[in-house]
Amino acid sequence: MSSIFDILYYPLGFLVRLCNAIVPNYAIALLLFALFIKLILLPFGIKQQKNSIKQASLRPREMAIRKKYAGRTDKPTQLKMNEEIQQLYQSENFNMFGSCINLLIQFPILMALYTVIRSPLQYVQMVSTQLIDKMEVRFLSLVNDETLVIPQAIKDAVARLSEANITALNADPSSVSSFQLQQIDMISALKNNEGLFDRFADIFAETNIASVADLPNFMLFGIDLSQTPTVALNWLILIPILTFVFLFFSMKITRRFTYQPTDQQSQDAMNSMKIMDFTMPLLSVWITFSVPAAIGLYWIYQNIFSTIQQIILAKVMPLPRFTEEDYKEAERKYLGSLSKKEKKKIRSLHHIDDDDVKAEAKEQKASPSPAPSPIDKPVLKRDERKRDARCESAETEAPKEKKKVRSLHRIDEEDEPSAEDKQN
């Protein structure tokens, strides 16, 4: 293998050769090829539809979260809202990037197909690279033949070679690695010049190509799909135009049958999608002006089949529909879950201070005991004897008067005059 990507190029080339064997025309063969690729990738399309159904089923709960933070556009609030939505997705095992798998797989296939179509002798006809190098060197002596119609791309490639490079290539066809002719240009020269194939008979004798008819046929209604479209007024200009038209309407139709996330329904998101409706087709048009027309034709086929597949999957596996009552019920459940988390413990009035007492006890155990002050120090025995002596002397000098405790029933007896007072 001349490239690490040959592990992908050769299987695609085999599939293109199989389609070309069924219909010996590259335009129709690419139609079958696009259909086969779509069937191979159908499981990923089904998985993408299931992922969309999963996301749509979470819509009421997601809307409840968004309603909680409605009207608050500050960054911390938006981050908190997105965090709760991501937690919802994770709890339900939903992967928001699962819908991108199908597109990520199609892009490498498109890039690999570009190489396969530009090099059909190697990857479709299975001609060795050594024989292809000999064909390229053979064209060095043919570019100056005015009786032949040689593509301008071959003439330009030969004109860039120096005399030393030409001498080296004649000695060893693989000596100059920078010299490489496009295989579709060589096929075009062989088909457009009668008798030119006979000059390469010794090279093709080692392959399964016996005549010009065995070479890939890129013609469709008189249009050579091996050529790259230009802005000139010819039939090739139809490929970029049709690419824009089919991709534009494919995006519009597909969007109607796929789930649109809530964050894409805002006014800003709608404006962004309107811009994408034009930028993506325009980008595809720009690409078709830089690759052979067969690549643009395949892209048209791919968009048509993708739209048909999405419509069928939407009918077989429809997205869930929700009423206004479903949204209200989801909101009530969401608010109920929040109230349970935030609900405090209610204590009985008989034990209202129990927790405080327990808390104070824990704080006393946790906090270190303060160092005893001089006042709180334990009293020695001799100090106690001195204190007792002072107390006894104080009692003898000033005996303490005891107050008479009166009963409440006789509280007014002292106010009445005694019998002795009456006699006096």
Side-chain angles (χ1 to χ4, degrees):
M1 292 186 180
S2 59
S3 172
I4 191 175
F5 298 104
D6 286 349
I7 193 173
L8 181 61
Y9 296 155
Y10 279 106
L12 290 181
F14 173 78
L15 188 57
V16 172
R17 182 174 60 181
L18 178 63
C19 296
N20 193 51
I22 298 174
V23 181
N25 184 284
Y26 252 54
I28 309 301
L30 286 177
L31 178 64
L32 295 178
F33 176 80
L35 180 60
F36 285 156
I37 292 296
K38 187 56 63 177
L39 293 176
I40 293 174
L41 298 180
L42 181 60
F44 295 98
I46 295 175
K47 185 177 180 180
Q48 179 180 355
Q49 183 66 14
K50 290 181 178 180
N51 198 63
S52 298
I53 294 174
K54 184 77 171 180
Q55 187 177 13
S57 64
L58 299 176
R59 183 182 178 88
R61 297 163 65 181
E62 180 182 348
M63 290 298 295
I65 297 175
R66 292 183 179 276
K67 188 174 182 180
K68 173 187 174 184
Y69 298 97
R72 300 167 62 183
T73 58
D74 56 290
K75 189 173 181 179
T77 302
Q78 293 297 314
L79 291 176
K80 179 64 176 176
M81 180 186 69
N82 293 331
E83 182 182 352
E84 289 194 24
I85 294 175
Q86 292 301 321
Q87 290 177 356
L88 172 64
Y89 289 165
Q90 292 177 2
S91 63
E92 297 295 335
N93 297 323
F94 168 72
N95 183 11
M96 61 184 304
F97 298 104
S99 302
C100 303
I101 297 178
N102 199 12
L103 181 61
L104 293 176
I105 294 177
Q106 289 188 37
F107 186 74
I109 292 177
L110 182 63
M111 295 296 100
L113 182 63
Y114 168 75
T115 303
V116 169
I117 290 181
R118 290 181 69 90
S119 306
L121 293 176
Q122 179 180 354
Y123 298 112
V124 179
Q125 302 291 339
M126 305 299 292
V127 179
S128 65
T129 56
Q130 292 78 10
L131 295 178
I132 294 175
D133 291 338
K134 291 181 180 180
M135 291 180 59
E136 293 174 349
V137 174
R138 188 72 56 89
F139 272 98
L140 293 176
S141 59
L142 299 176
V143 292
N144 297 323
D145 191 341
E146 297 181 355
T147 62
L148 299 176
V149 180
I150 304 297
Q152 188 62 38
I154 295 179
K155 294 181 179 181
D156 295 340
V158 174
R160 288 191 293 267
L161 293 174
S162 62
E163 292 295 334
N165 289 336
I166 294 176
T167 303
L169 286 172
N170 288 325
D172 183 5
S174 60
S175 59
V176 183
S177 59
S178 60
F179 176 70
Q180 187 176 12
L181 300 179
Q182 296 296 333
Q183 298 177 25
I184 55 176
D185 293 332
M186 293 189 293
I187 293 173
S188 178
L190 293 172
K191 283 182 168 292
N192 295 332
N193 295 277
E194 186 177 357
L196 183 60
F197 181 83
D198 297 335
R199 301 188 186 186
F200 295 83
D202 59 324
I203 297 177
F204 287 115
E206 303 180 33
T207 67
N208 56 358
I209 301 175
S211 63
V212 179
D214 295 331
L215 293 172
N217 181 18
F218 289 97
M219 301 301 294
L220 176 66
F221 304 119
I223 303 175
D224 188 0
L225 298 178
S226 65
Q227 302 300 312
T228 301
T230 61
V231 293
L233 295 178
N234 52 42
W235 290 109
L236 282 177
I237 197 66
L238 288 176
I239 299 298
I241 294 175
L242 292 177
T243 300
F244 179 87
V245 172
F246 279 99
L247 183 55
F248 178 81
F249 286 102
S250 175
M251 293 175 63
K252 290 285 189 182
I253 297 173
T254 302
R255 191 174 296 130
R256 293 183 57 187
F257 291 93
T258 54
Y259 173 73
Q260 301 301 315
T262 307
D263 55 355
Q264 294 185 6
Q265 296 182 1
S266 62
Q267 186 62 36
D268 294 339
M270 295 295 291
N271 294 333
S272 300
M273 285 191 291
K274 289 180 180 179
I275 295 175
M276 291 292 293
D277 288 342
F278 288 95
T279 54
M280 290 299 295
L282 288 175
L283 179 62
S284 298
V285 169
W286 177 77
I287 294 175
T288 55
F289 276 113
S290 57
V291 297
I295 298 293
L297 185 62
Y298 168 78
W299 192 237
I300 292 173
Y301 293 154
Q302 187 67 26
N303 287 319
I304 294 175
F305 287 135
S306 296
T307 305
I308 296 174
Q309 173 185 286
Q310 188 58 44
I311 294 175
I312 295 176
L313 290 177
K315 297 295 183 181
V316 177
M317 306 169 62
L319 297 174
R321 304 289 181 179
F322 298 100
T323 61
E324 188 66 25
E325 186 61 30
D326 295 329
Y327 288 102
K328 293 180 179 179
E329 179 65 21
E331 185 178 356
R332 284 194 294 267
K333 290 182 179 180
Y334 173 69
L335 295 177
S337 63
L338 290 180
S339 61
K340 289 180 180 179
K341 293 179 181 179
E342 299 175 357
K343 188 176 180 181
K344 295 182 178 180
K345 182 181 178 181
I346 300 177
R347 296 175 298 173
S348 173
L349 293 176
H350 298 286
H351 304 281
I352 194 167
D353 295 327
D354 289 353
D355 293 341
D356 297 336
V357 173
K358 293 179 181 179
E360 290 177 1
K362 290 181 179 179
E363 291 179 359
Q364 291 177 358
K365 290 181 180 179
S367 61
S369 57
S373 63
I375 301 174
D376 298 332
K377 289 182 178 180
V379 184
L380 299 177
K381 290 185 177 180
R382 60 185 179 182
D383 295 334
E384 289 181 355
R385 289 195 295 269
K386 293 180 181 180
R387 185 183 61 186
D388 295 340
R390 288 195 297 266
C391 291
E392 291 176 357
S393 61
E395 288 177 356
T396 55
E397 294 176 359
K400 187 177 179 181
E401 296 182 357
K402 298 181 179 180
K403 293 184 178 180
K404 183 180 180 180
V405 180
R406 295 174 297 171
S407 173
L408 292 177
H409 298 285
R410 301 179 180 179
I411 194 168
D412 295 329
E413 289 181 353
E414 293 183 0
D415 298 334
E416 296 179 356
S418 60
E420 296 177 356
D421 293 338
K422 289 181 179 180
Q423 292 177 1
N424 295 330

